[in-house]
Amino acid sequence: MNELLTTEIWQGKTLADLLSLDFLVSTAGSVLAAIAILLLGWTISAWLQRRVQNLGRKYKHLDDMLFDFLSSIVRYVVLGFTALFVLNTFGVQTTSVVAVIGAAGLAIGLALQGTLSNVAAGVMLILFRPIKMGDFVDVGGTMGTVKAITLNFTELADVSNVQVIIPNSMVWGNIITNYSTNKMRRAEWTFGVGYGASLASAEKIIRETIMADPRSKADPEPFIQVNNLGDFSVDFLVRVWVESAEFFAYQADMKRAVKEALDNGGVDIPFPTRTVIQS
């Protein structure tokens, strides 16, 4: 029994030392201090997270998503330092712990290169904000409205309202076309009329039909000019500015409206024909 009590158990202390009243009192003090540090660190991290989030929501020109990301980083940094302080209260050498964590992080990083590349791309998307939630974009040939941007993936709802998940590395490393960045867009059409048609009358019908629509912008001035003498038609190139949010419906509506207006005005709209001669 005496040999058991005098056996070194932990940090040069024997079992008898560990069972002594002084050691138990000091251990209880360390535990209480660790609990206090944990509670304080948890409270401070939550308070700082809320403060950073509220900063983003206070000003409308700031991006909520960016500040949600920054607030999470702030909280985890505070919790990380809290964990180191807790280990110090028990006499653990934190330098060795940091070294172990660094080595483990390197090994994990090598094993999860693909995942970490998505995280890195997610950080770049959040910081530089080439796209934001609610934007209508084209990413590598996939068109849709941005619904969410996380550290790992970007979620789109395509034109059929189908969910599309794209890894962030494919978003950041691809060509991004953002149709929502600019308030105005220029719609463009080509309308062909027959060679026998009056070009002045055709131009007048096209201009009046398009500018009668309240969505058409008179400033900048519309462009309506003959652009090509084709095999079967004289082609008018038409460019008109419109609000970006109305672009697709407006472009489709004007095609039909101009076609019907040209028909009603007696302007011939030719189409390719082929004559077959049988011998």
Side-chain angles (χ1 to χ4, degrees), residues 2 11 16 33 45 47-48 50 52-53 55 65 82 91 103-104 135 145-146 156 210 225 237 240 256 266-267 278:
N2 289 334
Q11 292 187 349
S45 66
W47 180 79
L48 287 175
R50 288 194 301 271
V52 175
Q53 287 176 334
L55 181 63
M65 181 175 58
T82 300
D135 286 353
T145 302
V146 179
L156 302 181
I210 290 181
Q225 295 289 343
L237 178 62
V240 183
R256 177 169 182 170
V267 177
Q278 295 180 347

Side-chain angles (χ1 to χ4, degrees), residues 18-273:
L18 295 178
L19 294 176
S20 65
L21 182 61
D22 291 340
F23 179 78
L24 293 176
V25 171
S26 64
T27 302
S30 298
V31 171
L32 292 176
I35 293 174
I37 292 172
L38 281 173
L39 292 176
L40 181 62
W42 186 271
T43 302
I44 292 175
S45 66
W47 180 79
L48 287 175
Q49 184 179 29
R50 288 194 301 271
R51 290 286 294 179
V52 175
Q53 287 176 334
N54 291 336
L55 181 63
R57 291 173 173 80
K58 184 178 180 181
Y59 302 100
K60 292 183 178 180
H61 65 280
L62 297 178
D63 191 358
D64 291 346
M65 181 175 58
L66 174 61
F67 280 85
D68 288 342
F69 171 67
L70 293 177
S71 66
S72 297
I73 291 180
V74 169
R75 181 169 191 182
Y76 287 125
V77 168
V78 173
L79 291 177
F81 279 107
T82 300
L84 293 179
F85 284 128
V86 169
L87 292 175
N88 268 327
T89 61
F90 293 103
V92 177
Q93 295 296 322
T94 54
T95 53
S96 60
V97 174
V98 171
V100 171
I101 293 175
L106 178 61
I108 294 173
L110 292 174
L112 299 175
Q113 290 184 26
T115 301
L116 292 179
S117 67
N118 287 329
V119 173
V123 172
M124 301 297 284
L125 288 171
I126 292 172
L127 289 179
F128 291 99
R129 296 183 295 167
I131 59 176
K132 303 184 295 296
M133 285 186 289
D135 286 353
F136 185 78
V137 301
D138 184 326
V139 179
T142 301
M143 298 180 67
T145 302
V146 179
K147 293 299 183 181
I149 303 175
T150 70
L151 285 179
N152 290 303
F153 62 85
T154 297
E155 178 186 345
L156 302 181
D158 71 4
V159 292
S160 299
N161 200 31
V162 176
Q163 183 188 53
V164 180
I165 303 297
I166 307 175
N168 282 336
S169 59
M170 296 180 64
V171 178
W172 183 253
N174 232 317
I175 295 176
I176 300 173
T177 303
N178 193 330
Y179 296 100
S180 301
T181 299
N182 299 322
K183 185 179 179 181
M184 301 277 290
R185 289 187 63 185
R186 189 171 65 179
E188 181 176 309
W189 310 267
T190 297
F191 297 112
V193 300
Y195 274 92
S198 169
L199 297 184
S201 297
E203 181 181 343
K204 181 180 179 181
I205 291 172
I206 294 172
R207 185 180 298 274
E208 290 179 348
T209 301
I210 290 181
M211 299 313 296
D213 191 293
R215 295 171 292 183
S216 302
K217 303 298 181 183
D219 185 23
E221 185 179 355
F223 177 90
I224 305 175
Q225 295 289 343
V226 173
N227 180 60
N228 180 54
L229 300 177
D231 294 334
F232 303 96
S233 64
V234 179
D235 298 329
F236 282 90
L237 178 62
V238 181
R239 291 172 175 163
V240 183
W241 290 91
V242 66
E243 297 280 348
S244 295
E246 300 173 332
F247 176 82
F248 290 104
Y250 171 77
Q251 191 176 48
D253 291 344
M254 290 302 97
K255 287 179 182 179
R256 177 169 182 170
V258 170
K259 166 66 168 63
E260 291 176 345
L262 290 174
D263 288 342
N264 294 334
V267 177
D268 178 42
I269 300 178
F271 53 89
T273 59

